[in-house]
Amino acid sequence: MRVLIADDDPISRRMLEAALRRMGHGVVVTSDGQQAWESLQNSAVRLVIADWMMPKLDGLELVRKIRLLEKHNYIYTVLLTSRSEKQDIIQGLAAGADDYVTKPFDLDELLVRVRAGERIVRLEEELAARNEQLRRLTLIDELTQIGNRRAFDGTLARMVEHCRRYDHCFGLLMIDIDHFKAYNDSFGHTSGDETLRSVAQLIVGNIRTADLAYRYGGEEFACILPETDEAGSIRVAERLRAGIEGTGIQHPGNPPSGVVTVSSGVACFSPESAGSANDIVRLADEALYRAKDAGRNRVVIYGREVSTAVQG
Amino acid sequence: MTTTETCPVHLDEGLHRAGDDREFFRELLQMFAEEASSQVERLGKAVESGDLQQVVRIAHCLKGAASNLAAGPVSEAALELETAARDRGGDEIAPLARRLEEQLEVLYAFIREFE
C-alpha cells in the first residue's frame, strides 16, 4: 500500500517513514499540507498520515480537501495531533479523518492503526473492482461477448449528444440475420447460438477500430460508426454484408444463396438533420425492413437500396 | 551513566521508538542535534527581542522532537518554556530558555557518546 506522510518535524517524518517501510509500504514523504496535496494528485496513495499543525495547509484542511476528491479510490486518513481534548478529536473526525493518533505517537499503536486502515482500503478496493466487474457484465452480451442493448442505448445517447454539440456526424447500421428462425428450426438452438457468435465475430472483425458493435436483440445487431457520413456507412455495411455471405455458413432455408446472409438498414446522424437517438434508430429500422421486403441480403438507406448481392 | 532523573534519554523507550534499531536511533539523535542547534539560535534571538509567539513555536517544535526520541528532560524544559511564553510571558522566559539550553547541552553530550 502507498502511504503519504505529511509532517513538518523531520525526525517524526523519518521515524514514520522507517516504520512504514519496515511494514512493507511504499512511502511518499512531504513536509507540509500543500506539498502533500500536490503529491496526492499524481500518485496512487491510499493512506495519509498527516500532522494536524503544519505550515501552509494544516492537517485538518488537507483532510477536508481529500474528502472532496471524487476521482480517487478511498483515501484513509490518520491525523497526528498533540491535541487530545475531546473537542479537538471531534473536530478532526468531523473534518473527515478516519482516525487520529496523539503525539508523541507510540509506534506500535500507530502501526496497528495503519493496519486497520489498510483493511478498510483493501475492502474498498475489492468492492470497487467487483462493481467495475458488475458494470461490465451489465453492458456485455453473454452469448456473443460484444456490447448488449443497454450498452448500445447508452453509447448512442452520448453519441447523439456529442455530435449535436460539436457538429459531427455518425452512422448507424441495424443488421439482421436473414431467415434466422428457419435456421434454428433446421439446426437447433445450439447451432443457432454458434451462428450468432460467428456473425458477431465477423462484424467485429470487419469494422474499423473506432466503430462499435452491439447485439441489439435476438438475431439483430447494431453498429455505431463515429465520424462517418452516408457514403462511409454504406461502405462498412456492404463490407459486412459481403463478408458474412462470403463466409458460407450453410443455411438451406435462406434461398437463393443457401448460406447465412444479413440485411442492413443504414441511417446517418448529421447536425442538420438532428433528431433524437430514437429517431435515428427508427430510420435505420425502417431501412432494414425495406431491405427485408426487397428480398434480403442487401443494404438499404432510408428506403433507398444501395447494394444487393450479386445473384449467382 | 548517571541516575535515572538526570539521564537525558530513556534509552529503552527511545530504541523501541526507532524499531529497536540502534543505528537508526543514532541517526535520529544526530538529526535532532542538528535541528535543535539551529532552533536554539533562533530561540535566543526571539527571547532577546521578546517575540513570544516565536518562542512558543520553537519550544513547541523542540518539545515534539525530543519526546519522539524519549528525551524527557529536554521535552519537559521545552514544555515549561512553551507554557510560560504562551500563558504568562515576562521575566520567566529568559531563565526557562537558559534551562532548556542546559538540558540540550546534556543531551548533546549523550549523543556524542552514543554508539
Side-chain angles (χ1 to χ4, degrees):
Chain A
M1 181 173 57
R2 190 165 284 267
V3 180
L4 181 137
I5 299 167
D7 196 332
D8 58 338
D9 173 5
I11 293 166
S12 166
R13 259 193 330 254
R14 186 76 184 88
M15 287 173 84
L16 284 169
E17 183 192 359
L20 290 163
R21 286 200 196 286
R22 272 199 300 277
M23 281 178 86
H25 298 302
V27 185
V28 180
V29 185
T30 62
S31 55
D32 65 61
Q34 188 55 39
Q35 207 189 351
W37 177 246
E38 281 156 22
S39 300
L40 280 173
Q41 307 307 313
N42 44 27
S43 56
V45 167
R46 306 307 315 279
L47 191 144
V48 168
I49 300 174
D51 193 15
W52 184 314
M53 306 270 262
M54 284 186 293
K56 292 180 193 163
L57 186 68
D58 70 20
L60 209 58
E61 275 309 310
L62 178 64
V63 164
R64 286 205 184 98
K65 285 176 85 119
I66 289 172
R67 284 296 161 257
L68 292 174
L69 277 176
E70 275 173 11
K71 57 178 180 158
H72 280 84
N73 278 81
Y74 191 72
I75 297 177
Y76 191 93
T77 54
V78 181
L79 274 179
L80 284 180
T81 174
S82 49
R83 308 164 164 225
S84 53
E85 296 294 315
K86 192 169 176 187
Q87 265 318 102
D88 297 324
I89 291 162
I90 291 171
Q91 194 190 356
L93 296 179
D98 293 291
D99 202 358
Y100 68 95
V101 175
T102 48
K103 292 206 296 186
F105 55 84
D106 178 272
L107 213 52
D108 293 330
E109 180 191 346
L110 183 71
L111 296 186
V112 292
R113 287 182 188 275
V114 166
R115 211 164 287 146
E118 192 178 12
R119 281 198 295 272
I120 303 284
V121 163
R122 294 284 172 244
L123 275 175
E124 196 268 347
E125 269 172 1
E126 256 173 56
L127 197 62
R130 205 61 60 81
N131 275 342
E132 175 58 21
Q133 206 179 7
L134 284 174
R135 197 189 64 81
R136 281 185 52 79
L137 281 176
T138 63
L139 295 174
I140 285 185
D141 174 59
E142 198 182 338
L143 178 68
T144 60
Q145 293 296 304
I146 64 177
N148 63 13
R149 173 67 184 274
R150 182 199 291 261
F152 170 78
D153 287 344
T155 307
L156 186 67
R158 281 194 297 276
M159 189 66 85
V160 166
E161 187 59 35
H162 175 88
C163 291
R164 191 177 290 149
R165 177 178 295 182
Y166 298 104
D167 249 19
H168 288 202
C169 62
F170 72 91
L172 173 67
L173 315 181
M174 299 300 285
I175 303 166
D176 193 83
I177 302 177
D178 295 325
H179 289 304
F180 189 67
K181 187 178 179 310
Y183 185 91
N184 270 335
D185 290 345
S186 322
F187 298 108
H189 283 99
T190 311
S191 299
D193 285 352
E194 200 51 57
T195 296
L196 286 171
R197 270 197 287 265
S198 303
V199 170
Q201 284 318 302
L202 280 159
I203 291 174
V204 169
N206 278 290
I207 53 180
R208 300 156 304 179
T209 322
D211 297 339
L212 302 157
Y214 304 89
R215 185 174 176 209
Y216 190 73
E219 69 274 21
E220 197 169 349
F221 297 88
C223 291
I224 295 175
L225 316 173
E227 308 293 327
T228 310
D229 60 9
E230 283 191 11
S233 301
I234 290 166
R235 264 200 302 281
V236 174
E238 176 53 24
R239 185 164 67 234
L240 292 175
R241 189 206 60 74
I244 290 164
E245 183 182 23
T247 307
I249 302 168
Q250 289 306 302
H251 185 359
N254 185 35
S257 65
V259 295
V260 169
T261 59
V262 295
S263 300
S264 291
V266 180
C268 275
F269 178 96
S270 60
E272 308 88 66
S273 64
S276 66
N278 282 337
D279 293 337
I280 188 171
V281 170
R282 193 170 39 75
L283 286 175
D285 250 344
E286 275 173 23
L288 173 60
Y289 286 119
R290 299 243 163 81
K292 293 280 187 188
D293 278 348
R296 298 185 168 79
N297 191 22
R298 66 198 66 212
V299 176
V300 168
I301 181 161
Y302 311 148
R304 175 162 59 91
E305 187 177 315
V306 292
S307 75
T308 319
V310 179
Q311 303 290 312
Chain B
M1 192 80 37
T2 46
T3 64
T4 334
E5 286 107 53
T6 54
C7 176
V9 172
H10 190 302
L11 195 53
D12 284 348
E13 196 190 320
L15 275 170
H16 179 66
R17 286 175 171 280
D20 292 314
D21 180 340
R22 206 176 171 87
E23 189 50 41
F24 183 49
F25 189 53
R26 206 159 66 99
E27 182 196 325
L28 292 174
L29 287 172
Q30 272 156 6
M31 267 176 87
F32 176 84
E34 281 167 38
E35 179 78 8
S37 40
S38 74
Q39 299 268 26
V40 163
E41 210 171 296
R42 288 163 56 214
L43 179 65
K45 287 185 190 133
V47 171
E48 226 169 274
S49 64
D51 182 350
L52 291 185
Q53 271 193 332
Q54 178 74 345
V55 173
V56 169
R57 252 198 305 277
I58 294 168
H60 181 82
C61 280
L62 284 170
K63 180 192 71 181
S67 61
N68 272 333
L69 299 173
V74 168
S75 175
E76 281 152 29
L79 173 64
E80 273 179 61
L81 177 60
E82 183 191 350
T83 312
R86 177 176 292 137
D87 302 340
R88 300 190 295 273
D91 303 340
E92 294 175 67
I93 303 302
L96 285 173
R98 246 191 327 276
R99 166 111 189 98
L100 173 58
E101 281 178 54
E102 283 162 18
Q103 289 300 338
L104 276 167
E105 287 304 328
V106 178
L107 180 55
Y108 293 157
F110 173 88
I111 292 170
R112 276 194 299 275
E113 303 281 303
F114 186 76
E115 281 176 29

